[in-house]
Amino acid sequence: MYKFLLCRRYLRTRYIALASIISVTLGVATMIVVNSVMAGFTTEMKDRIRGLLADVVIETHSLQGHEDPDALIARAMEAAPGMIEAATPTVEMYAVMSFDYAGEPIHRPVQLIGIDPRGKSKVGPLKENLASYQDVIKDGVIVAKAERKPNEPLGWTLTPIGMEIARREQAMMMYRHHLASAQNAGGGVVSAAGASAQGTDDGAAASDDWGGDTTFEPSEVAPVATAQDPFEAFAAPSAQPVAKKNGVLDGRLYVGKQLISVPFETAEGEIEERLLVHPGQSVSLTTVKAGGNGPPESATMAATVTDVFKSGMSEYDSRVVFCNIERLQEVRGMLVPDENDRTVKVGREVRLLSGPHAQQTGQVVRTDGPFAVVRLGNWYDPQQQEVSIPKVDCLPLSRSVTTVQIKLKEGVDEKAAVAALKRAFPAEQFSVGTWKDKQGPLLAAVDMETTILNVLLFLIVAVAGFGILAIFYMIVVEKTRDIGILKALGAGSRGILSIFLSYGISLGMVGAGAGVVLGLVFVHYINEVEKFISYITGRKVFDERIYYFPEIPTKVDPATVFWVALGAVFIAVAASILPARRAAALHPVQALRYE
Amino acid sequence: MNEQPQPLHAVAVEKAYRKGEHAVDVLRGVNLTIHPGEFVSVVGQSGCGKSTLMHLLGLLDSPDIGEIRLGDDRIDHLPSRTRDRLRNRVFGFVFQFYHLLPELTLLENVLTPLMIRHSMPAYWKNRKVYRQRASDILDRVGLGHRLTHTPKELSGGEMQRAAIARALISEPQILLADEPTGNLDGEVEAEVIALLRELNAEGLTVVMVTHDDALAKAADRTVRLLRGRVEDRIETPLRRAA
C-alpha cells in the first residue's frame, strides 16, 4: 500500500520526472504519426494500383494469347476454389500511341490493356482513378463537379463535354478534308462537293445523336468520332480497314494522364498539368498483330480518348492505356476459329467462308434450317447488313486473350492463391503473379523506409530512457534517507524496488498515453497542421502535385499504436530498474545517516 | 504485540566499520540486557558507538561478532525478510532528525508501518480502523488537530511527537530512540521526555540513546559506553517506575 501511496506522491510532487518523459511522449507521438502516414500512403497506393491492375494476374507468354478465356477462368476457379471473387479476361500488349499536338506528331510507347468495363469494374475500382468521376479541387475548394455521377457504371461513353470536343474535331477535320479535296482534284469539284456534303450529313447526324440521347450506345457514335479520323488517313496510312462487327465497339481509350499532359506554369507561378489530348479527341495506336511465324507485323487502330486516368503511380500514368478489348482483339487478329465448339447458333460470332461477303465477320441473329442469318459488321458502312448463308459456310470464332485479371475474396492469402494457380497454369505457358510482384521494389522501398524510421524513432525513445535513468537516479539519491526510514519501519528490499519500478511504469504510461493522444490528434488534424505550417513558412509542405494525393493520407493501425505504447512503457521500466535496484540495495543505516 | 514481552540481549557484540583500508572498531564486545518495561538510556560521547548499538539492537545492522537475542532466540542472523518483519512488529524507532516522509501527511506518516505490514487488500479492508487508531495516537501525542499537515508545516517538537506516534502505531515491544531530543530545545525537550516516560509507565520498553547525561537521568537505568565497551560501574541502580 505504501508503495502506491508513495509512488503517487512522488509523481505528483516531482514534475521534473515528467520532463524526462516528454521525450518519450514526443517519440511515441512521432512514431504513431510516421506509421499512420506511411500506412496511409501504402494503403492509398495499393488501392490505386489495385484499381488499375488486379490482385492476381495470369499471363500467357505468347503473342496470340489463349483462345478460350472462359476455360481459363474456369480452370482458375477450379484451381483456387473459394478464393476468387471475380475474374476478367484482358489483352495486354505493347503499343505506340501517336497524336498530333500543334501540328507536331507525338509518339509515346504505351502498354495497351484491352478491358471489358463490366468485368474490369468487378476486379478493381478503376472508376476511382478516372478524371470524369472526380470533382476538380483547387486549393481545397471544389471548382467543378464531377462530369459523371459516382454510380454511373464504367463504360466507353463520352461525357457531354467529350462529345462536344469530338464534334468540333470532326468539323475541323471535315473542313481540312474539304480544302485538301478542292486543291487536289483537277476536275474533281463535283466529287469534292459530294464528299463535303456527305461529311456534313454525317456531322449533323452525329450531333443529333449526341444532343438527343445522353444514354446512347457508344457504338452508334463511334464511327462518327473515328471514321474520319485524320490519323487513319495521314499518320497511319498503312492502317488496315477493319470491319466493324455487331455489338462491338470501335476504339475507345482511357489514357494515363502523364501520357498526354505536360506540366505548364501559369502566370501566378503555379504548375498545372495541361492536357495535350482531351477526352473526345482521337489518337492512333500501333501495336503488334497476333499470330504469324515471321517477324511481327504491325497493326494500327484509331481510337477516341474517352477518359483520362490518374492513379498517382507515375509508372502507370505515363505508360498504361486501357482500350475496349473487342476492338483490340479485332485489330490484333485475335479472332480465331473455335476449335472446341463448331456449332453455329444465335449470338455466335462467325466468319463467312463463301458468297460476296466471304472473309467478313458478323453475328448470327437467327437460324433458319440449314441457313444462318448473319448481321455483318462493317467498319466503313454504318448500315448494318444481314445476309443469309448456309451454316456450313459459317466459321464460328472465339476471341483470344493474353491475360486474366483476378480479384481475390476478402481475407484470402495472396501467396496461397498464387501457389494454387501456379500449379494449374504451367510455367512454360503462363506466368502467375500478384500486383505486388510487379510493384515489389517500390513496396519494399516503402516498407524499408517505414522500418528505418521506426528503428530511428525507437532509438530516440531509447535515448529518452537514459534521461529517465538519470533523473530516477537523482530521485533515488534524493530519497535515500526516506528509503532508510522505510527500511527501519520494516519495508523490505522488494517493497522499495517496487516503489521505484511502479514509479517508472506510471511515468512510462503517462508518457506513452500522452504520446498516443498527441499522435492521434496530430494524425487526425494532419492536413490542418500541414496547412498551418505551409502558411507560416510560405512553402507548401505537402505538394499534392508531387504526391498525387489531395490530402495526406493516414491510416491508424491500432496494433501499431499498442506496440509503440508498450515499447515506450517498457523502456521507461527498463530505465527505472537500475535506480530502483540501487534503492532496494541501500543499507538502512547508511541510508539513515545520509546527509 | 500479543506475545509475552521478552528481554532483549546484546551478547559480546562487536562491530567495525571500514574506512578505506582502516577498520574502525566501534563496538568491542558489548553485553547488555534490556528487560521488558525498562527505560534504559545509553550515554556516551559522540563516536563511542551508541547509535551503532541501537541499530544492532533494532536489527538495522548486524554485528560482526556476537549475537542479538530476543528472549532465547537469536535474531541478528535471521533472513532479511524475517528481520524486516521484526523491525515492523517488535521495534519502534525514533530518530534525532524525526525522519518523517515529507510527501505524506502526518496521518499517512503514522500509518506507514501498518501499510508496510499489511498487504494492500488487507489494509484497504481495515483502513478505517487503522485511520481511527492513527488519529487516536496522534491525539494522544497532542497532534490531533494537525492530521492533514505535512511535516514541513510542523515545528521540531511536533515532528518528533509525530515520529513517536508512528513508532507507537505498530504496538512495539521496544521503542528505540536515537537522540530523540537532539534537535529540540529546553521546553520541547522536556515534553518529549515526559511523553517517553509516560509511555514507559504504560509498559513500553524504551531504549534512549543520548549524549546528554542530564537527560539520561530520566531513565530507570543508564548504560554508559566508553570506547566501544559498557562502563560497568556507572550503571545506575534499577529504579522502576511506580
Side-chain angles (χ1 to χ4, degrees):
Chain A
M1 186 66 199
Y2 67 104
K3 305 159 198 166
F4 298 98
L5 186 67
L6 279 172
C7 171
R8 221 175 72 207
R9 288 296 150 84
Y10 289 170
L11 270 178
R12 268 175 40 189
T13 51
R14 270 164 189 74
Y15 292 112
I16 185 70
L18 287 176
S20 76
I21 56 154
I22 285 178
S23 38
V24 173
T25 302
L26 290 178
V28 166
T30 321
M31 279 181 87
I32 289 175
V33 171
V34 163
N35 276 300
S36 301
V37 171
M38 282 299 203
F41 260 92
T42 327
T43 316
E44 191 86 348
M45 208 170 67
K46 284 177 182 172
D47 282 353
R48 287 174 180 217
I49 298 173
R50 283 169 80 168
L52 291 190
L53 303 180
D55 290 341
V56 180
V57 173
I58 302 172
E59 276 176 297
T60 59
H61 293 318
S62 74
L63 277 178
Q64 284 96 320
H66 191 275
E67 67 283 348
D68 196 347
D70 294 337
L72 280 184
I73 291 174
R75 202 199 299 186
M77 293 280 191
E78 201 176 314
M83 292 178 173
I84 296 170
E85 184 172 318
T88 187
T90 60
V91 174
E92 287 190 29
M93 200 40 62
Y94 36 85
V96 172
M97 186 173 77
S98 311
F99 56 92
D100 263 5
Y101 184 73
E104 285 290 316
I106 296 175
H107 306 283
R108 298 261 159 98
V110 298
Q111 185 187 0
L112 193 55
I113 304 180
I115 55 165
D116 165 30
R118 266 166 305 172
K120 177 66 190 170
S121 53
K122 281 180 197 147
V123 166
L126 185 60
K127 247 206 271 193
E128 288 169 14
N129 296 315
L130 293 182
S132 64
Y133 286 97
Q134 316 298 325
D135 294 333
V136 181
I137 298 171
K138 203 171 182 184
D139 298 328
V141 184
I142 298 176
V143 294
K145 292 290 279 179
E147 291 174 51
R148 291 180 213 267
K149 293 194 178 67
N151 56 3
E152 189 179 327
L154 194 66
W156 297 113
T157 58
L158 280 164
T159 63
I161 295 174
M163 288 178 220
E164 179 62 21
I165 290 171
R167 197 183 63 76
R168 283 190 195 168
E169 193 186 39
Q170 162 114 15
M172 190 69 171
M173 203 273 315
M174 299 284 193
Y175 178 62
R176 279 203 212 128
H177 184 71
H178 173 69
L179 284 185
S181 312
Q183 281 168 5
N184 288 350
V189 180
V190 178
S191 72
S196 89
Q198 170 84 27
T200 320
D201 285 346
D202 276 5
S207 62
D208 279 350
D209 264 350
W210 293 332
D213 185 11
T214 46
T215 57
F216 66 105
E217 274 298 306
S219 57
E220 293 172 29
V221 289
V224 185
T226 49
Q228 313 269 357
D229 194 304
F231 304 105
E232 197 82 3
F234 308 122
S238 63
Q240 305 267 329
V242 180
K244 175 183 173 292
K245 283 144 214 101
N246 293 310
V248 171
L249 317 178
D250 297 307
R252 293 300 177 102
L253 306 176
Y254 303 143
V255 184
K257 187 160 190 188
Q258 285 184 18
L259 270 172
I260 51 164
S261 68
V262 286
F264 179 85
E265 197 167 347
T266 62
E268 293 93 54
E270 289 199 6
I271 295 167
E272 275 179 2
E273 278 176 339
R274 279 251 165 124
L275 284 180
L276 305 180
V277 178
H278 289 272
Q281 287 181 307
S282 297
V283 299
S284 157
L285 284 158
T286 306
T287 181
V288 182
K289 274 196 169 179
N293 286 327
E297 245 181 279
S298 74
T300 298
M301 67 187 260
T304 303
V305 177
T306 319
D307 218 327
V308 175
F309 72 83
K310 180 169 159 180
S311 65
M313 299 295 303
S314 177
E315 194 187 333
Y316 296 108
D317 290 351
S318 64
R319 206 180 55 143
V320 171
V321 172
F322 289 103
C323 77
N324 43 347
I325 187 167
E326 298 88 347
R327 187 79 184 104
L328 184 59
Q329 283 165 329
E330 285 156 26
V331 170
R332 291 200 61 229
M334 294 177 90
L335 270 60
V336 293
D338 196 332
E339 304 289 344
N340 302 322
D341 183 6
R342 288 179 171 280
T343 55
V344 176
K345 56 188 178 194
V346 173
R348 284 217 77 159
E349 219 171 334
V350 294
R351 179 174 288 143
L352 307 187
L353 298 175
S354 65
H357 300 287
Q359 293 310 310
Q360 288 191 17
T361 55
Q363 194 176 19
V364 180
V365 286
R366 58 181 184 274
T367 50
D368 184 10
F371 289 93
V373 178
V374 176
R375 183 184 292 158
L376 295 177
N378 191 312
W379 175 242
Y380 291 102
D381 183 7
Q383 307 291 319
Q384 293 187 336
Q385 200 178 344
E386 288 184 3
V387 294
S388 187
I389 190 162
K391 274 183 181 171
V392 287
D393 283 342
C394 293
L395 180 61
L397 298 172
S398 74
R399 289 169 172 268
S400 300
V401 298
T402 61
T403 313
V404 175
Q405 293 190 351
I406 291 170
K407 182 189 170 85
L408 296 176
K409 282 194 174 135
E410 203 69 45
V412 171
D413 182 29
E414 284 179 359
K415 279 181 193 153
V418 167
L421 290 172
K422 271 187 176 162
R423 280 193 292 276
F425 294 92
E428 304 86 60
Q429 290 173 343
F430 300 95
S431 69
V432 181
T434 62
W435 62 273
K436 274 185 186 160
D437 298 335
K438 297 196 169 185
Q439 286 304 319
L442 181 77
L443 290 172
V446 172
D447 272 357
M448 199 176 70
E449 267 174 49
T450 314
T451 311
I452 287 178
L453 271 171
N454 271 326
V455 168
L456 289 180
L457 289 170
F458 200 73
L459 281 180
I460 289 179
V461 177
V463 169
F466 285 96
I468 296 178
L469 187 112
I471 286 190
F472 263 47
Y473 220 87
M474 278 170 55
I475 289 176
V476 167
V477 168
E478 188 201 333
K479 290 282 138 209
T480 300
R481 278 229 292 207
D482 292 5
I483 293 163
I485 299 164
L486 288 169
K487 288 202 163 177
L489 294 177
S493 296
R494 283 176 175 214
I496 305 292
L497 189 78
S498 57
I499 289 181
F500 288 92
L501 276 187
S502 49
Y503 191 27
I505 292 175
S506 315
L507 275 184
M509 292 206 302
V510 169
V516 166
V517 170
L518 192 69
L520 291 181
V521 167
F522 194 94
V523 167
H524 191 259
Y525 291 106
I526 192 160
N527 288 297
E528 284 79 358
V529 171
E530 185 263 333
K531 272 185 203 125
F532 179 72
I533 295 176
S534 302
Y535 173 75
I536 294 286
T537 59
R539 198 186 144 80
K540 204 115 174 68
V541 180
F542 182 85
D543 195 333
E544 64 261 30
R545 285 189 303 271
I546 297 173
Y547 295 105
Y548 286 91
F549 299 117
E551 289 196 319
I552 304 173
T554 54
K555 184 172 182 254
V556 177
D557 178 18
T560 312
V561 173
F562 173 77
W563 285 113
V564 166
L566 197 73
V569 173
F570 171 77
I571 281 195
V573 173
S576 61
I577 282 178
L578 215 60
R581 278 177 60 104
R582 190 199 130 99
L586 277 175
H587 192 279
V589 170
Q590 279 156 22
L592 283 170
R593 282 193 181 143
Y594 182 82
E595 297 292 334
Chain B
M1 297 298 297
N2 21 10
E3 295 157 38
Q4 196 63 31
Q6 289 173 308
L8 181 68
H9 309 279
V11 184
V13 165
E14 290 188 23
K15 181 77 185 173
Y17 286 116
R18 288 206 158 268
K19 277 208 169 149
E21 294 186 0
H22 304 285
V24 182
D25 294 328
V26 185
L27 298 176
R28 317 173 182 205
V30 171
N31 287 296
L32 181 64
T33 299
I34 314 286
H35 299 286
E38 237 184 344
F39 190 154
V40 179
S41 62
V42 179
V43 291
Q45 289 170 328
S46 57
C48 68
K50 37 188 206 303
S51 289
T52 304
L53 178 61
M54 201 201 83
H55 292 149
L56 292 179
L57 288 174
L59 299 180
L60 283 173
D61 211 344
S62 40
D64 297 338
I65 301 175
E67 294 175 3
I68 308 293
R69 288 169 179 274
L70 186 62
D72 296 328
D73 305 319
R74 186 177 171 187
I75 53 172
D76 62 279
H77 69 316
L78 293 171
S80 63
R81 291 185 104 186
T82 319
R83 288 193 291 155
D84 290 339
R85 259 173 61 90
L86 283 174
R87 273 207 300 278
N88 184 259
R89 289 165 185 266
V90 178
F91 299 101
F93 291 91
V94 176
F95 300 99
Q96 180 180 358
F97 297 102
Y98 333 123
H99 286 341
L100 296 171
L101 297 173
E103 281 85 9
L104 305 182
T105 64
L106 272 196
L107 191 67
E108 287 162 346
N109 259 299
V110 172
L111 282 169
T112 312
L114 291 182
M115 294 192 212
I116 290 173
R117 184 183 300 174
H118 300 291
S119 71
M120 197 155 78
Y123 176 82
W124 193 250
K125 214 166 74 186
N126 295 321
R127 65 189 187 285
K128 284 188 182 144
V129 179
Y130 295 147
R131 259 193 215 167
Q132 189 54 47
R133 204 204 294 178
S135 69
D136 286 350
I137 289 172
L138 277 168
D139 252 348
R140 164 85 208 275
V141 299
L143 291 171
H145 58 299
R146 320 208 66 165
L147 299 182
T148 55
H149 289 231
T150 54
K152 255 194 308 221
E153 298 161 334
L154 301 179
S155 70
E158 286 171 324
M159 282 199 269
Q160 196 57 293
R161 279 186 279 157
I164 293 170
R166 178 178 66 186
L168 292 179
I169 191 131
S170 54
E171 295 172 343
Q173 292 178 26
I174 301 159
L175 182 72
L176 299 167
D178 189 358
E179 303 264 10
T181 58
N183 264 28
L184 305 175
D185 47 14
E187 205 177 317
V188 183
E189 182 185 85
E191 273 174 33
V192 169
I193 296 298
L195 180 59
L196 288 180
R197 279 234 59 94
E198 214 179 299
L199 294 169
N200 177 244
E202 287 166 20
L204 181 68
T205 312
V206 178
V207 178
M208 180 175 73
V209 166
T210 178
H211 64 281
D212 188 343
D213 286 345
L215 274 183
K217 284 183 183 128
D220 298 338
R221 182 160 68 106
T222 305
V223 176
R224 188 170 293 275
L225 282 186
L226 195 63
R227 287 187 219 95
R229 289 204 176 87
V230 176
E231 257 190 344
D232 297 330
R233 285 175 292 115
I234 309 206
E235 215 169 302
T236 48
L238 210 75
R239 190 185 66 178
R240 302 224 66 161

